[in-house]
Amino acid sequence: NCLRRGRQGIGTGRNRCISGYMRAPRALDGSETFKKRTPDIELEIATRKKGMNRKQKILIVDDKTANLFTLKQTLNSLDVSIIEATSGNDALAATLEHRFALAILDVMMPGMDGFELAGTLRGDAQTRDLPIIFLTGVYSEEERIFKGYEIGAVDYIVKPYNPSVLLSKVRVFLELAQARALLGEMNSIL
């Protein structure tokens, strides 16, 4: 929310933002006012934007190390940190240490399967909004796919998968996570 220059002069149009001004709370009479940003706010915005440049993290979970290796090779072209887990419990432990932009889970794993892991992630406040992609070679029936979506997956991909399609979907979710994080930072500043 900042002062913008429209065709008829200064207003709240959607063209260019006039740097240095932001919308202030409404006055008692309901009119809008604008105030100049202080250098402290400018410094805080710059500092937080700098922190936003950290590498995003992707959690990949599969009980087969060969599948983890292949998936990691597919994702290596992205500028991200990839954290691997070979079980649901290892994945949960990783979520205590890292903030992830995306999780890619195998469905069929011994002990805690991917569906149970996703349900646990959805039940925790810190990981509730974590986008989950299921990647499986076993459960390709519609019933299982719908179960994945019901648990909260944003996508369900059956192996063998096209690496280009997977990368395209991962990029979209990374961009969304980055935009959501930036929005949260800007809201906390203003």
Side-chain angles (χ1 to χ4, degrees):
N1 289 340
C2 62
L3 190 62
R4 298 182 185 275
R5 183 180 301 278
R7 286 184 179 207
Q8 280 74 33
I10 296 176
T12 56
R14 293 188 176 187
N15 296 339
R16 237 179 34 221
C17 179
I18 298 174
S19 179
Y21 288 87
M22 63 184 202
R23 188 181 311 268
R26 289 190 183 267
L28 291 176
D29 64 359
S31 64
E32 290 186 311
T33 60
F34 295 89
K35 65 180 180 182
K36 188 152 180 62
R37 287 185 175 158
T38 65
D40 293 340
I41 292 175
E42 292 294 337
L43 179 62
E44 185 172 348
I45 290 172
T47 303
R48 290 189 185 209
K49 280 184 181 177
K50 195 179 210 181
M52 296 298 295
N53 292 333
R54 292 182 296 238
K55 278 190 175 185
Q56 291 178 293
K57 296 178 184 178
I58 299 176
L59 173 64
I60 59 175
V61 186
D62 199 312
D63 61 311
K64 295 180 175 62
T65 55
N67 291 346
L68 285 173
F69 177 79
T70 303
L71 183 54
K72 191 170 184 177
Q73 291 302 319
T74 301
L75 300 173
N76 267 342
S77 65
L78 302 172
D79 186 28
V80 297
S81 295
I82 299 170
I83 309 297
E84 300 175 32
T86 55
S87 71
N89 287 330
D90 291 346
L92 291 174
T95 63
L96 296 174
E97 298 177 27
H98 304 278
R99 304 277 292 166
F100 293 103
L102 176 67
I104 302 175
L105 312 179
D106 182 30
V107 173
M108 196 169 121
M109 296 184 289
M112 184 185 305
D113 68 10
F115 293 136
E116 188 179 348
L117 174 58
T120 303
L121 292 171
R122 289 288 173 254
D124 182 31
Q126 185 175 347
T127 56
R128 178 175 295 127
D129 297 324
L130 175 65
I132 297 171
I133 296 177
F134 281 118
L135 190 63
T136 185
V138 178
Y139 296 120
S140 59
E141 314 86 42
E142 281 188 17
E143 181 182 310
R144 289 298 195 158
I145 294 171
F146 286 129
K147 182 177 180 180
Y149 285 121
E150 284 176 352
I151 290 173
V154 293
D155 213 335
Y156 196 104
I157 300 173
V158 179
K159 297 175 193 171
Y161 58 89
N162 180 330
S164 298
V165 171
L166 177 63
L167 280 172
S168 177
K169 291 180 180 202
V170 167
R171 280 188 189 102
V172 167
F173 292 117
L174 291 175
E175 288 173 10
L176 287 171
Q178 191 171 32
R180 186 174 46 239
L182 183 61
L183 256 171
E185 288 293 323
M186 291 300 147
N187 280 337
S188 70
I189 293 170
L190 300 175

